[in-house]
Amino acid sequence: MSEYVELFMDQGAAFSTTITINDETTGLAQNLSGYVVSSQMRRSVLSQNATATFSCSTVPANGEITVALDGGNTANIIAGTYFFDVRLRDGYGVYSRLVEGVIFVTPGLTR
């Protein structure tokens, strides 16, 4: 089962968050070599189109995943509440949802 989190994103500012994946049995960082990570946010769980697709990177040996958007991309997102998830695909094409939740986009005021 995925972990539920609530995140805050400032409109017009760079956004990133890092997630560490631990092996359920040993509690140690899971080696992510050979895995592919993807993440999107949408206005609603029923939205056909993604509001944004995050750039995802990993530090495989440490079990770390970073999802990010630059300020140019967040500037185009309308302030409000969005849903997101982070998926991991193994070498066999099997997906697991690691994290899911809500992103609150706060409006930028300085122009």
Side-chain angles (χ1 to χ4, degrees):
M1 176 147 199
S2 61
E3 179 182 352
Y4 176 84
V5 297
E6 293 180 350
L7 301 174
F8 292 86
M9 176 186 293
D10 294 330
Q11 186 184 52
F15 170 84
S16 73
T17 189
T18 300
I19 302 157
T20 301
I21 307 302
N22 293 319
D23 182 277
E24 292 178 5
T25 306
T26 66
L28 301 173
Q30 179 177 335
N31 189 320
L32 299 175
S33 296
Y35 288 84
V36 176
V37 180
S38 58
S39 181
Q40 293 183 332
M41 63 185 279
R42 297 173 188 265
R43 189 64 163 176
S44 105
V45 294
L46 301 176
S47 297
Q48 292 297 313
N49 299 315
T51 300
T53 298
F54 294 97
S55 65
C56 300
S57 61
T58 63
V59 179
N62 296 343
E64 291 179 354
I65 298 169
T66 299
V67 295
L69 281 176
D70 64 28
N73 285 314
T74 66
N76 296 320
I77 299 173
I78 298 168
T81 304
Y82 294 81
F83 297 90
F84 81 100
D85 66 6
V86 178
R87 295 190 320 170
L88 191 65
R89 187 184 78 213
D90 68 16
Y92 299 103
V94 176
Y95 286 92
S96 342
R97 187 171 48 215
L98 303 173
V99 176
E100 64 183 319
V102 176
I103 296 179
F104 300 99
V105 178
T106 58
L109 301 176
T110 302
R111 309 266 191 274

